[in-house]
Amino acid sequence: MPTVVIANLKSKSIHCEDKRESLLDILLSRTDWMHACGAKGRCTTCKAKILSGGDNLSDPTKPEQQYAKLNKLRPDERLTCQAIVNGDVTIEVPKETQLPHLNYTK
């Protein structure tokens, strides 16, 4: 059973049953997460910084590759709506997509 840890949200841990869910679906099952385009990979509002376990995510999709070429996604960032979780991963919410009603650390 994979675990997703959000390091700057009081180290919130989310255990997921299905190994083939998107990171966004897993996050939304237990917390609020910024996302604007309906999980279609058409924006970067759902991005997450990958601290560890990046190899436990699916390969970057075409939308992610395009945003990376446009410098809208750094090498350590993924779109949560596009990344499929295959194992444990630790992420951080980037400052620009933090929600005002949640308490972040750092």
Side-chain angles (χ1 to χ4, degrees):
M1 173 168 33
T3 300
V4 175
V5 175
I6 310 169
N8 62 341
L9 192 55
K10 296 185 180 180
S11 292
K12 184 175 195 116
S13 293
I14 303 170
H15 302 286
C16 40
E17 297 292 327
D18 184 358
K19 289 179 119 181
R20 300 301 304 161
E21 284 185 280
S22 74
L23 184 52
L24 180 61
D25 287 339
I26 293 165
L27 293 167
L28 291 175
S29 74
R30 287 298 206 35
T31 192
D32 288 336
W33 194 270
M34 175 85 69
H35 63 290
C37 74
K40 294 181 179 28
R42 295 183 181 157
C43 69
T44 60
T45 59
C46 73
K47 69 182 170 184
K49 181 176 181 179
I50 309 303
L51 300 179
S52 67
D55 54 330
N56 290 327
L57 297 173
S58 59
D59 291 335
T61 61
K62 286 183 183 182
E64 289 177 297
Q65 293 170 9
Q66 290 175 327
Y67 283 119
K69 285 180 186 175
L70 296 171
N71 294 320
K72 294 188 179 211
L73 273 182
R74 294 187 294 248
D76 64 345
E77 293 177 328
R78 294 291 305 272
L79 297 181
T80 63
C81 70
Q82 299 293 297
I84 303 298
V85 176
N86 298 309
D88 295 346
V89 64
T90 301
I91 64 172
E92 187 174 86
V93 184
K95 193 135 194 107
E96 64 269 19
T97 60
Q98 291 180 359
L99 296 169
H101 66 282
L102 297 177
N103 295 319
Y104 300 92
T105 58
K106 293 185 183 181

